[in-house]
Amino acid sequence: MSDPALEPLLQSPIFPRLADEVHRVAIREKEAREQFLKELTPEMKAEFIQGEVFLHSPAKARHLAVTRDLLFALTKYCRETGNGTVFSEKCLISLTRNDFEPDVVWFSREKAAQLEPDQMLFPAPDFVVEVLSQSTEERDRTVKFEDYAVHGVAEYWIVDAEAETVEQYTIDPATDRYQLAEKLAHGSVKSHIIDGFEISWDHLFG
């Protein structure tokens, strides 16, 4: 049985022509991705998204502060509980089509046990945080939003450092897509997937 997403293509009277074009695009994208990975250096912060390379500009102080404080809190949690591993923005998440560098990622104890010390390309984590910036917000809310869900990232936080809000998304089992669990502008944010992890709004934005 074919994927329902392919039905419009399969039913088209010009299916062979479209299939040839899809194949050509896929080959070009594969070659571009291989070149991206070959040229990527540790100093670069870059992502490969739907055939394009996106270089990231320096972040604002509030963005850096929120990322730092969340990373510190989650690192402390992991060390104290032994539950999983956390990495920051230089962790390149390599999914089926795209390569992302989220601001913060967490791997469960089971997934972390499979990671190698010299590993440079990482599978989908269990938890992802993206701290919004003007240049990345559209991708954080569209292609990344869909891609993380498709690849089973169980929880996704979108943090707006300027508005001082946290949007907390979890996967709806009925649709396999993200649903908004909470949007918080005060109090504490408690993870749905990381057992016992909670961070206060004051800790993030105070």
Side-chain angles (χ1 to χ4, degrees):
M1 182 178 294
S2 63
D3 189 322
L6 292 176
E7 282 306 311
L9 179 65
L10 295 173
Q11 296 301 321
S12 172
I14 57 170
F15 166 70
R17 188 193 310 169
L18 296 175
D20 286 343
E21 180 60 23
V22 167
H23 180 68
R24 284 192 293 270
V25 170
I27 292 298
R28 288 198 301 268
E29 189 170 305
K30 180 176 183 291
E31 292 172 349
R33 189 179 191 184
E34 290 172 350
Q35 189 67 21
F36 163 76
L37 294 173
K38 181 180 178 180
E39 296 178 352
L40 193 62
T41 67
E43 296 75 27
M44 294 171 61
K45 179 167 172 57
E47 298 179 310
F48 186 86
I49 304 175
Q50 295 181 341
E52 294 186 64
V53 176
F54 292 89
L55 299 175
H56 290 255
S57 59
K60 294 180 179 179
R62 61 169 63 93
H63 181 290
L64 296 173
V66 168
T67 303
R68 176 202 63 207
D69 292 344
L70 181 55
L71 178 64
F72 178 82
L74 196 46
T75 299
K76 183 173 183 289
Y77 164 88
C78 290
R79 287 175 176 171
E80 290 178 349
T81 65
N83 184 19
T85 296
V86 60
F87 293 122
S88 61
E89 58 186 355
K90 294 304 293 179
C91 179
L92 188 65
I93 303 301
S94 189
L95 304 182
T96 303
R97 184 180 183 186
N98 302 308
D99 299 299
F100 301 127
E101 285 193 339
D103 290 297
V104 178
V105 300
W106 177 83
F107 293 91
S108 65
R109 184 185 289 108
E110 293 74 21
K111 283 189 179 181
Q114 300 174 32
L115 302 178
E116 299 293 335
D118 295 329
Q119 191 159 339
M120 296 183 68
L121 297 179
F122 294 83
D126 298 275
F127 172 86
V128 165
V129 178
E130 294 284 7
V131 182
L132 297 179
S133 65
Q134 187 174 2
S135 62
T136 66
E137 180 171 5
E138 181 180 1
R139 295 191 294 276
D140 291 342
R141 294 189 179 279
T142 55
V143 60
K144 290 187 178 184
F145 191 90
E146 181 177 359
D147 214 357
Y148 290 149
V150 165
H151 287 86
V153 177
E155 187 170 350
Y156 180 31
W157 289 10
I158 295 179
V159 179
D160 189 329
E162 295 194 15
E164 298 185 344
T165 60
V166 178
E167 296 170 35
Q168 189 177 22
Y169 294 92
T170 55
I171 294 179
D172 180 355
T175 64
D176 290 328
R177 298 179 65 87
Y178 284 130
Q179 59 182 355
L180 181 65
E182 289 188 89
K183 181 174 181 178
L184 299 105
H186 57 80
S188 294
V189 190
K190 184 175 182 180
S191 173
H192 288 248
I193 192 69
I194 307 175
D195 185 38
F197 178 69
E198 184 173 357
I199 187 167
S200 71
W201 183 91
D202 288 338
H203 192 131
L204 277 179
F205 305 113

